[in-house]
Amino acid sequence: MPPTHLRSISSLSVKSLFGMYDYVLDIGSNGQSGDEKIAILYGDNGSGKSTLLKLAFHMLASNPKSGHKTFLLNTDFEELVVKFNDGTLVKAVRDGKSISGPYSLSIKRPRKKLLSGAVNTPSIDEDEDFHQIVLPALQDLDWAPLA
């Protein structure tokens, strides 16, 4: 039976994008699900609009060996957080105050245990917790991007 309620993104935030930009984007009305179907990002060229959207897309992608997690490894940011309308949080955080290199990806769903794994190299096969714990949890999110 298909779900009656689709999970959707209610907020997106990033710290130190390119080492200089912090953004918090609230989508919808106070995190409540509603009929919102569109959010508009505007700003100067080079301020990170497209990169922010690409970071969220690649962080939430669950298909392995497609370069999604490598995109995050190769993009400078300190922390990236996506919050869904049901309270689920997906977060990528660098070690310390670094804006590049290895990061931890965690998923916290309401009333469920926090799941996390490290991404240290472009080959997720070497990052066992990520491959065995985090990727299946991303697949289980069953979220629907706006189409």
Side-chain angles (χ1 to χ4, degrees), residues 30-136:
N30 301 322
Q32 302 296 317
S33 66
D35 293 333
E36 294 82 7
K37 300 286 186 210
I38 191 168
I40 297 173
L41 301 180
Y42 64 93
D44 293 337
N45 289 341
S47 62
K49 301 175 302 291
S50 296
T51 302
L52 181 58
L53 295 175
K54 288 176 186 177
L55 281 169
F57 171 77
H58 289 292
M59 181 174 70
L60 297 172
S62 61
N63 44 337
K65 300 183 181 181
S66 298
H68 296 298
K69 304 319 170 226
T70 302
F71 184 85
L72 273 71
L73 276 171
N74 294 332
T75 305
D76 291 345
F77 69 92
E78 184 180 325
E79 179 181 273
L80 175 66
V81 179
V82 174
K83 184 176 181 180
F84 290 89
N85 58 345
D86 70 346
T88 296
L89 285 174
V90 181
K91 183 187 296 190
V93 180
R94 306 274 188 203
D95 295 331
K97 292 285 185 181
S98 177
I99 62 167
S100 63
Y103 62 93
S104 295
L105 188 67
S106 63
I107 301 169
K108 178 61 178 115
R109 293 180 69 183
R111 298 173 302 284
K112 292 197 176 186
K113 182 177 137 183
L114 175 72
L115 302 173
S116 67
V119 178
N120 297 302
T121 66
S123 172
I124 63 168
D125 293 335
E126 296 176 23
D127 298 320
E128 191 172 326
D129 284 347
F130 181 83
H131 188 66
Q132 294 181 356
I133 297 170
V134 177
L135 277 181

